Amino acid sequence: MTSYQATWESLTRHEVPQWFSDSKFGLYAHWGIYSVPGFGNEWYGKWMHDPAHEIYRQHREHFGSPAEYGYTRFIDGFTAERYDADEWADLFVKSGARYAGFSLAHHDGFGLWDSDVYRWNVGGMGPKRDLYGELATALRKRDLRLVAPFHIIRGFNWFLPGWNQWDQTLDEAAVERGLAEGWELFDPDFADFYWVQQTSRFEDFFQQWQLKVREVIDKYQPDMMWFDGGKFREDGYEEVALEILAHYLNQARAWGKEVLVLNKLPVSMQYNFHPDFGVINFEKGRDRPPVYERPWNDDMRIGDQSWGWVENQQYASGHTLLSKLIDCAARGGTMMLSLSPKPDGTIPEGQREPLLQMGEWLRWNGGAIYETVPWTTHAEGDVEKLIVERRGHKFWEYDACNADDRRYTQSRDGKTIYAMTLGIPPGSVTFEALDESVPVARVALLESEQAVQWTQSAEGLTIDARGIDFKTDLAAAWRVELR
């Protein structure tokens, strides 16, 4: 078999493995030293250096100036003392997820794996454990696949106040203030952590980025990789990105694995990689069309304020999460959900509960989700209520879903249609697309053998839901067998 070459012509021939399309649902997490202060969001390390931001004021009030208390001081508080990879993996299995992982390093660059290519990682600091390696082992014991998410391509100059990677601007006055006050950000002893232009070179940063990604590929053999938005298609980046992607796919062949890469659509509206490569990834449904012809994934955070853990954050309900999963599956996509663990390694109960609710529904009704494909009709009901416009972008949100929202999937052989409502119908429900033109032979409640009363007419398939003892109150699913 011919090896993949570092060209888009070669790489776009790589096919998305069936296991991913069948899996439908996976979990990851934003976990790092930004969770230690527990305030604002996962960009704490950046905003604590921006005098115009509330996190800067919060940091000075609680910890002191960035000169007195630099961001690296939070490493000691990232203890992971209650982190149990087996407990995490058990929870992930119960949630119904088929793959999992966590961000290996966010924009701040602090690594959650035991690295030999740089010093700022959990192998030598903080917990002094291989947190990612422990999870990889625990997941594989349970036949869950491993995802490796990376954010750090955006790390150069990221900490600078006012820095914008797209137009290369910054807040000059704030930088001068930091230099005058002696912020740790500008200390040459920390140059290989902060990676700012005042103390380091982009060429060195980019070289280290390559070493980090290759190390994770070779050491942990992940089943899928995810990269946050970056200038992967620009001169100086693209050649390296092509080499790394080819290396990953060729290594996978040597391992005997079918792997994939998620290809993100960032706010720049330019895909990270060639649009025909990998699985298109939409963040929180941003700018996702109702139907997409290529394999796609929608990733979202469980919290309302931050991708990482912060105090007093509200979490999405099990109903909201399941509604999104069902809708994504109906439209031919998949869903990846990010959790927000605490710095000690615990997953808060407010995040665990909706996962277990989802898992309970999937335990009984997973046949309507896993290993299915879209039917000719995807959705019925008010779809417009799901799409919210913010800052010039459209996002998909699922808090308002109810039993009036109907979704369809079908078995791969086309002999069975799964008809679902995103809530429990109080009376009868009519699936309009299942009218007399569809040769229905039998209708059954997916989760049990309870009798189902149904009629079919020109208006659709009407099911009487009264008196049915549903096992959960999140959604309902029926198996419609065709003649």
Side-chain angles (χ1 to χ4, degrees), residues 252-327:
R253 281 184 172 175
W255 307 329
K257 281 188 174 186
E258 292 184 307
V259 302
L260 70 140
V261 176
L262 294 178
N263 185 357
K264 184 174 180 176
L265 179 66
V267 291
S268 65
M269 298 302 292
Q270 299 294 321
Y271 297 111
N272 276 347
F273 310 120
H274 191 288
D276 292 333
F277 175 73
V279 173
I280 301 301
N281 187 73
F282 300 94
E283 181 178 303
K284 295 186 291 185
R286 184 181 57 216
D287 301 310
R288 169 167 62 84
V291 180
Y292 201 84
E293 297 304 320
R294 283 187 46 72
W296 60 270
N297 177 72
D298 196 331
D299 78 275
M300 67 173 290
R301 67 190 190 198
I302 198 168
D304 66 336
Q305 300 176 41
S306 172
W307 290 84
W309 182 79
V310 294
E311 292 276 7
N312 302 317
Q313 184 163 213
Q314 300 299 308
Y315 302 118
S317 68
H319 177 254
T320 294
L321 297 176
L322 181 63
S323 295
K324 177 165 187 169
L325 174 60
I326 293 173
D327 186 67

Side-chain angles (χ1 to χ4, degrees), residues 216-378:
V216 167
I217 290 171
D218 296 340
K219 187 172 184 176
Y220 302 105
Q221 301 183 11
D223 299 281
M224 53 187 290
M225 299 196 73
W226 176 97
F227 298 90
D228 197 26
K231 299 182 179 182
F232 293 100
R233 300 297 305 278
E234 294 191 5
D235 290 342
Y237 289 84
E238 189 164 32
E239 296 79 4
V240 171
L242 285 165
E243 290 173 2
I244 288 177
L245 294 173
H247 174 73
Y248 178 44
L249 298 185
N250 287 325
Q251 286 292 86
R253 281 184 172 175
W255 307 329
K257 281 188 174 186
E258 292 184 307
V259 302
L260 70 140
V261 176
L262 294 178
N263 185 357
K264 184 174 180 176
L265 179 66
V267 291
S268 65
M269 298 302 292
Q270 299 294 321
Y271 297 111
N272 276 347
F273 310 120
H274 191 288
D276 292 333
F277 175 73
V279 173
I280 301 301
N281 187 73
F282 300 94
E283 181 178 303
K284 295 186 291 185
R286 184 181 57 216
D287 301 310
R288 169 167 62 84
V291 180
Y292 201 84
E293 297 304 320
R294 283 187 46 72
W296 60 270
N297 177 72
D298 196 331
D299 78 275
M300 67 173 290
R301 67 190 190 198
I302 198 168
D304 66 336
Q305 300 176 41
S306 172
W307 290 84
W309 182 79
V310 294
E311 292 276 7
N312 302 317
Q313 184 163 213
Q314 300 299 308
Y315 302 118
S317 68
H319 177 254
T320 294
L321 297 176
L322 181 63
S323 295
K324 177 165 187 169
L325 174 60
I326 293 173
D327 186 67
C328 287
R331 299 175 188 278
T334 59
M335 168 181 160
M336 187 165 73
L337 173 67
S338 178
L339 305 178
S340 308
K342 291 184 175 182
D344 66 0
T346 56
I347 298 174
E349 185 61 31
Q351 298 176 41
R352 298 171 64 89
E353 182 179 355
L355 292 183
L356 295 174
Q357 291 173 351
M358 286 184 71
E360 178 68 5
W361 190 89
L362 288 166
R363 185 163 72 92
W364 298 106
N365 300 286
I369 303 299
Y370 304 121
E371 301 175 5
T372 61
V373 295
W375 190 46
T376 53
T377 297
H378 308 119

Side-chain angles (χ1 to χ4, degrees), residues 8 31 40 47 122 175 192 276 290 307 309 321 327 338 343 417 456:
W8 291 124
W31 190 31
W47 300 131
V122 293
V175 170
D192 60 341
D276 292 333
W307 290 84
W309 182 79
L321 297 176
D327 186 67
S338 178
I417 297 168
Q456 193 177 24

